[in-house]
Amino acid sequence: MKQHALLALLCSSTAALAAELDYYKDVYPFLKTNCISCHNKTTTKADLNMETPALMIKGGENGTALIPGKSAESLVVQASLHQHDMEMPPGNNKSGAVNLTPAEIAILKQWIDQGAKASVQQERAVVLQAFAASVDPIYSVAMTKDGRYVACGRSNQIFVYDLATRQFVAQISDPVEKNGAAHRALVQSLSFSPDGTKLASGSFREVKIWKLEAGKPVASAAKAVSAPASADLIKKITTAGKVVVLSSAMSADGKQVVTGCADGSVRVWDAATAKQIIELRGSVAATKKVAELDWTIAAQTLETAFQKSEIARIEAQDKALDVLLGKAKEAIVTMKKVLPEKQKAVPPTTEAKTTAQKAVDEIATKIKAGPGGKPDAALDKQLKDAQDKLITTKMTEVSALAAVSAAESNVKDAEDDLKRISDSKAKNAKAVAAANAAIATAKTTQDKATADLAALKLALTKTAAKPIAVSFSADAQRVASMFEDGTLRVWAAASGIPIEESGGNVAATTTITSAPDGTFVATKAVTQTVGSIPRWTLERKIDPKGLFADRVNAVRFSPDGKALATGGGELSRSGDIIIFDVATGKATQTWKEKHTDTVLCLDFSPDGKRLASGAADKIARVTDIASGKQTNLFEGHTHHVMGVAFRSDGRVLATAGAEGTVSTWDMIIGERKKKIEGWTKEVTSLQFIGATNQIVTSAGDNRVRIVTDDGTEVRSIANLPDYMQAAVSVPNGSAIIAGGEDSLLRVWDGAGKELVAFGAK
């Protein structure tokens, strides 16, 4: 059988050899699989790139890899034949490359002997096949800034859930795709705009932007009306809850009852036990204000902690400066004490030099006055002795002057050190004063926010308007109440969060009816509609030919929502970042090969001026968006950088590594702040929680883990059933959401208790 197979290969290769060979059609495929995987522009082992004939002719460390027309002398052939102690590819290589077959070597040799000509690479249309029903992992999760909606990608579909009601609300689909799909390929990345009205999704060579549209009420002749509770049940509730009930309604299944109470509250009760399940208060505006105040309080806590750490750092620096200051002062005192002695020693050496010079001059005069100007032996000896003495005195004077100069220089250096240290301490004093002022400002802001929050919560317990009518939705997941001021408000029954409301300024309609007995009845009513389900429709598809090389692994809206950054590239070859104008869909910045391998994650700085990126090249970079210039390069991960996230104040960047670590980086000094360990597999995503220093992470070790940016573990949700790919948190940390390979989107409360798990609808 082996002989027949070999014969078939040789026959097919012989047919190929009969014609002029095409590099990309006949040679490139087997070189790409077994040679180019290690010899490319990214890896370039032995400094040899084999991607094109020209690069192979250029060669590497061992010279040219091929000689056109001379296959026997070409190193690429000799290595493939394992000649001259060369074995390519090497055994047990990490790329999975195998030895070329005899047929492939024959084609390679023939192509070289034909001149090793280059050819034009033909583009091939990628035809994506339908996914199997079992292929539905969650690779990406995104949440609106207010924590209301969360979206996840399953396979090539996008699902949106309401965290307030803990319900599925929409499956986003593109009408041109089949089976309700959003993309043809897997959904790799998701991002909500800051205002929550747009959702960007990235897939294979395309990005789509979806817009939120208010749902329209469904017209129906049959209107469901919640029946009021029985008098006996109301009596039990009144007694048990010590409340005055103004209105009531039963759920469709009769298991719950909602009451409007005289204290302004709306309450849900268990019909069987008359026990309160939840109390509903507040408005959408009040909930938004509470979230803003919570954010302010957390942000000022973060600011205070930072300024205190700065003060501690400066105080430690001042201690070191005080030591140097003491040494400088001591040096000045010592040198100034020695200097007069050094100066006093100079005049005698100068006088001795002058005397010695005079003696030399006198002897020289005597010699000159002698017969013929020639010295006798005695004068000659005297002159030599006098000159030796002069040299000695000169050296003594130079030494004395040098000693004075050195002492003066030491004094000056010490005085310069004294000034430099004093200036540094003065600068530090200003910095400490500024830090203390910042702490005071933060405290004032925080105290006001805390007081405002307390006042707001107190006000919510003293609602002035009375709930004159209440009702459940058909599925009992929503509760509505009409107040005497004309406000119609809806809450999520599961969480107690107010989700919609309509004001009381709607014009009333008055109708008059007459009875057979001659009486008249006037009815005044208003019609308000709330609670419609939102819809997501396709606003724009971005997929210009050649723009995206492969999968779009990351999408991220800028803080102002006007720009959308995308990250991707060609695996093992390039990491590309493109920034688009959201309004037009046009690329405004294109950074090809920003990384040497595909970009996996992106995040804008809070001020929107910088963009952090992480890639499969193990590098995290920060780029100034206006100039496109790199401001920071962070090395330290030994595997792919899977996630990047700025802290809310922009002073810290967190990065997640596939080697199982998280690193935090001080953006002020540009150095690593902390390397956080404790994961046994890849850390697949990370996000700072609101305006805190806490980071929520997902990982391949079946855990969702929360740590601070200095490495302290806050919480670990362990023993999850499968590899977790993405996790996010609501801003106040009251809910954590994560998804992974098992396709379930799980929601936990802030303590780590699972609230709900959403499967594919």
Side-chain angles (χ1 to χ4, degrees), residues 523-701:
T523 304
K524 189 175 183 180
V526 297
T527 300
Q528 299 183 51
T529 303
V530 295
S532 56
I533 302 299
R535 298 187 307 115
W536 293 89
T537 60
L538 181 62
E539 179 178 85
R540 177 170 288 107
K541 179 180 178 181
I542 304 173
D543 63 343
K545 185 177 180 180
L547 186 63
F548 300 119
D550 205 288
R551 293 168 295 181
V552 180
N553 299 308
V555 289
R556 185 73 66 177
F557 280 97
S558 61
D560 61 7
K562 295 180 179 180
L564 177 71
T566 67
E570 189 173 354
L571 189 63
S572 300
R573 291 181 55 79
S574 65
D576 304 333
I577 297 173
I578 306 173
I579 301 178
F580 296 90
D581 176 73
V582 173
T584 64
K586 294 181 179 179
T588 58
Q589 300 262 26
T590 301
W591 302 332
K592 292 289 186 179
E593 301 186 9
K594 174 64 72 172
H595 289 261
T596 58
D597 206 338
T598 185
V599 173
L600 300 173
C601 48
L602 297 169
D603 194 29
F604 280 93
S605 61
D607 61 8
K609 295 181 179 179
R610 295 167 294 167
L611 183 68
S613 56
D617 61 3
K618 310 173 188 176
I619 301 294
R621 299 176 189 270
V622 179
T623 303
D624 175 74
I625 295 174
S627 66
K629 295 181 178 179
Q630 177 179 291
T631 59
N632 301 90
L633 185 150
F634 296 125
E635 297 179 289
H637 289 289
T638 59
H639 212 311
H640 299 355
V641 177
M642 307 290 286
V644 291
F646 278 101
R647 201 170 71 180
S648 63
D649 59 3
R651 293 176 176 133
V652 174
L653 178 75
T655 58
E659 76 281 356
T661 67
V662 166
S663 286
T664 55
W665 309 87
D666 188 321
M667 294 303 298
I668 297 174
I669 62 176
E671 296 179 0
R672 181 149 59 185
K673 172 184 170 75
K674 185 72 175 181
K675 179 180 179 180
I676 308 170
E677 299 177 313
W679 293 269
T680 59
K681 290 185 179 179
E682 299 93 330
V683 182
T684 53
S685 75
L686 53 72
Q687 174 217 335
F688 275 97
I689 299 177
T692 72
N693 69 338
Q694 295 184 9
I695 307 166
V696 60
T697 68
S698 61
D701 61 2

Side-chain angles (χ1 to χ4, degrees), residues 17 86 103 132 241 253-255 311 388 415 446 496 542 546 567 572 638 672 714:
L17 298 178
M86 291 187 291
D253 60 7
K255 293 181 179 180
I311 291 173
D388 289 344
E415 289 175 340
Q446 188 177 53
I542 304 173
S572 300
T638 59
R672 181 149 59 185
V714 178

